[in-house]
Amino acid sequence: MTEEPISESDVLVQNEAFYAAFRDRNVAAMTELWATSTPVSCIHPSWDALIGRDQVIASWLAILGDESSPQIRCENATAWIAGDVAWVVCNEIIKNVLLTATNVFVREEGEWRIVHHHASPTASAPAAPPMRKDFN
Amino acid sequence: MTEEPISESDVLVQNEAFYAAFRDRNVAAMTELWATSTPVSCIHPSWDALIGRDQVIASWLAILGDESSPQIRCENATAWIAGDVAWVVCNEIIKNVLLTATNVFVREEGEWRIVHHHASPTASAPAAPPMRKDFN
């Protein structure tokens, strides 16, 4: 019996499942997607980090429980794998707003589960190199 | 000969070295900190993702080459390790502005090197659960 090869496409399928759960406000699917053996964390747009499964899952229950939660779609996803960890960079589109996200996955019992999500708004048409002095 | 144990503190030392290189505008140190064998990516505040070492290093040369580049410090860093990959969540403080960052590291030849950096501004006093509808 040979083991299945590990491929970026499997990670991208799970990444898409994450956005489908978000879009469908599917609490069961969203809860299932987050890792259980590995500590999890989450940085929602403009928010400080949430650390630990209780805080992270509670934040998703609040988001998915909101009937006015917007449609979201994922584009331009790229995945990289090193061992049992993968990380994805993608855009999130919510109506006309562009965000950029980092999603980190860990393989738990053969399944890619999310351990970290970080999403933040993106300027749509940057005109100069990113200068941290903008935060002065 | 026994192998050195892998510990979160080694990752946090490298995370701090990243912010020291940033603060000191140390191009050599910053270039050295980024992985060479593993593909790299970077999401500067409000920017779309930069993918590939050429783009990422060029962005840092621009930032560090700017004499008005601000002092930055890192606080509240937490690291997690799975195999040869580690990820850190921390705050960045630039004067009075709070950002939150995700930094992903991979062990290359025994050294933790950065493969992904994502920083974004953080509201200092959130008053409600994070609602993506804010982007409607």
Side-chain angles (χ1 to χ4, degrees), chain B:
Chain B
M1 192 175 126
T2 54
E3 204 174 332
E4 287 284 318
I6 294 171
S7 105
E8 283 80 4
S9 63
D10 295 336
V11 177
L12 293 174
V13 165
Q14 282 298 82
N15 194 64
E16 191 46 56
F18 168 75
Y19 288 104
F22 193 160
R23 198 162 46 236
D24 298 342
R25 300 175 49 230
N26 186 332
V27 169
M30 180 60 84
T31 305
E32 177 80 11
L33 278 160
W34 284 84
T36 50
S37 308
T38 313
V40 301
S41 49
C42 187
I43 304 168
H44 293 291
S46 303
W47 274 66
D48 204 352
L50 303 174
I51 292 181
R53 194 173 161 91
D54 287 354
Q55 277 200 70
V56 171
I57 295 297
S59 75
W60 284 105
L61 294 182
I63 291 166
L64 303 185
D66 181 355
E67 289 183 10
S68 64
S69 188
Q71 289 295 297
I72 187 170
R73 68 177 200 275
C74 168
E75 290 190 354
N76 305 319
T78 305
W80 298 273
I81 299 174
D84 283 334
V85 183
W87 56 104
V88 173
V89 168
C90 60
N91 289 126
E92 298 178 354
I93 293 104
I94 299 179
K95 291 190 175 174
N96 292 323
V97 177
L98 180 71
L99 297 96
T100 307
T102 299
N103 296 317
V104 183
F105 295 80
V106 165
R107 281 217 310 168
E108 290 187 342
E109 297 172 3
E111 289 286 323
W112 290 106
R113 300 290 181 88
I114 302 175
V115 294
H116 180 65
H117 168 71
H118 182 171
S120 56
T122 302
S124 54
M131 290 294 149
R132 299 287 176 115
K133 70 180 175 184
D134 296 342
F135 295 103
N136 276 358

Side-chain angles (χ1 to χ4, degrees), chain A residues 15-64:
Chain A
N15 194 65
E16 190 47 55
F18 168 75
Y19 288 103
F22 194 160
R23 199 162 47 235
D24 300 341
R25 301 175 49 230
N26 187 332
V27 169
M30 180 60 84
T31 305
E32 176 81 12
L33 279 160
W34 284 84
T36 51
S37 309
T38 312
V40 301
S41 49
C42 187
I43 304 168
H44 292 292
S46 303
W47 275 65
D48 204 352
L50 303 174
I51 292 180
R53 194 174 161 91
D54 288 352
Q55 277 200 70
V56 171
I57 295 296
S59 76
W60 285 106
L61 294 181
I63 291 166
L64 303 185

Side-chain angles (χ1 to χ4, degrees), chain A residues 13-115:
Chain A
V13 165
Q14 282 299 82
N15 194 65
E16 190 47 55
F18 168 75
Y19 288 103
F22 194 160
R23 199 162 47 235
D24 300 341
R25 301 175 49 230
N26 187 332
V27 169
M30 180 60 84
T31 305
E32 176 81 12
L33 279 160
W34 284 84
T36 51
S37 309
T38 312
V40 301
S41 49
C42 187
I43 304 168
H44 292 292
S46 303
W47 275 65
D48 204 352
L50 303 174
I51 292 180
R53 194 174 161 91
D54 288 352
Q55 277 200 70
V56 171
I57 295 296
S59 76
W60 285 106
L61 294 181
I63 291 166
L64 303 185
D66 181 354
E67 290 183 9
S68 64
S69 188
Q71 289 295 297
I72 187 170
R73 68 177 201 275
C74 168
E75 289 189 355
N76 305 319
T78 305
W80 298 272
I81 298 174
D84 283 334
V85 183
W87 57 104
V88 174
V89 168
C90 60
N91 289 126
E92 298 179 353
I93 293 104
I94 300 178
K95 291 190 174 175
N96 292 323
V97 177
L98 180 72
L99 297 97
T100 307
T102 300
N103 297 318
V104 183
F105 296 80
V106 166
R107 280 218 311 168
E108 290 187 343
E109 297 172 4
E111 290 284 324
W112 289 107
R113 301 289 181 90
I114 303 176
V115 293

